[in-house]
Amino acid sequence: MKLDDSYQSLERELAADDPWRLDGNPFERERHTQMLRLSLSNGFITNALEVGCAAGAFTEKLAPHCERLTVVDVIPRAIGRASQRTKRWSHITWIVSDIQQFSRTERFDLIVVAEVLYYLHDVAEMRKAIGNLVRMLAPDGHLIFGSARDATCQGWGHAAGAETIITMLNETLLEVERVQCQGGSANEDCLLACFRNSIRSSFPLRKRP
């Protein structure tokens, strides 16, 4: 898989001991605390998908609450670091893939996609990725989204951020809750949103233990 310049930059940043200060920064810890709270709104998770694992800081928090967890990241180094961090669990499946190409016939009752979609080239690619994720979300399943705001992401050179993507998610999913996380710097400003798939299918979901 050939990575473009933005992903090559991520690959280099992942070489740091605590890339993006996901462990050491109080803002990031609070963001992950809120993401986990939203993720657990329906209790124990049968089958979860995390899109974009970075170095595994949130994967480590989510894994104990899942019967099965699939983790997808386009960066091989991210998968390598996160899998080492969480090697005490055997129920995690690791996949190196572009989220626009990744697909499963199985349905996930939880999908977490945070600080990822703004790396796509334009709004059309974001919309394609969202459609792909929604197709894999089980009826009554939850999708947890998080991102810096539009203005911040555009300042970083990306096409769009939280407000644009939340608007697109609201076209097919029901927004349940929205949370703002803010730190001490201008860049530490994230919107989190929890969405529910209100469309029911003809087959029953597996009951949670």
Side-chain angles (χ1 to χ4, degrees), residues 35-89:
M35 284 169 55
L36 185 62
R37 180 184 66 80
L38 294 172
S39 298
L40 299 180
S41 58
N42 267 3
F44 187 82
I45 303 154
T46 301
N47 193 20
L49 170 66
E50 182 187 11
V51 180
C53 59
F58 184 71
T59 314
E60 186 175 40
K61 293 177 174 64
L62 180 63
H65 304 283
C66 304
E67 183 177 332
R68 299 187 304 279
L69 173 59
T70 300
V71 180
V72 178
D73 201 295
V74 73
I75 309 294
R77 187 191 289 267
I79 293 289
R81 287 197 58 170
S83 62
Q84 279 298 306
R85 180 168 181 158
T86 59
K87 61 184 178 182
R88 62 189 178 277
W89 290 296

Side-chain angles (χ1 to χ4, degrees), residues 11-31:
E11 180 89 22
R12 290 191 296 271
E13 290 172 344
L14 275 162
D17 289 339
D18 183 10
W20 310 291
R21 298 178 62 211
L22 296 179
D23 291 308
N25 187 346
F27 165 75
E28 297 294 353
R29 291 199 300 269
E30 174 62 15
R31 184 171 67 87

Side-chain angles (χ1 to χ4, degrees), residues 158-173:
H158 301 303
E163 294 93 336
T164 295
I165 295 170
I166 286 173
T167 298
M168 288 190 282
L169 285 165
N170 269 310
E171 292 172 0
T172 51
L173 302 176

Side-chain angles (χ1 to χ4, degrees), residues 55-117:
F58 184 71
T59 314
E60 186 175 40
K61 293 177 174 64
L62 180 63
H65 304 283
C66 304
E67 183 177 332
R68 299 187 304 279
L69 173 59
T70 300
V71 180
V72 178
D73 201 295
V74 73
I75 309 294
R77 187 191 289 267
I79 293 289
R81 287 197 58 170
S83 62
Q84 279 298 306
R85 180 168 181 158
T86 59
K87 61 184 178 182
R88 62 189 178 277
W89 290 296
S90 60
H91 64 293
I92 306 176
T93 300
W94 304 94
I95 300 173
V96 177
S97 177
D98 186 324
I99 191 52
Q100 294 181 90
Q101 306 301 322
F102 174 76
S103 181
R104 285 290 185 274
T105 55
E106 64 182 313
R107 299 290 189 95
F108 298 95
D109 53 335
L110 174 71
I111 296 176
V112 179
V113 52
E115 306 297 335
V116 171
L117 295 180

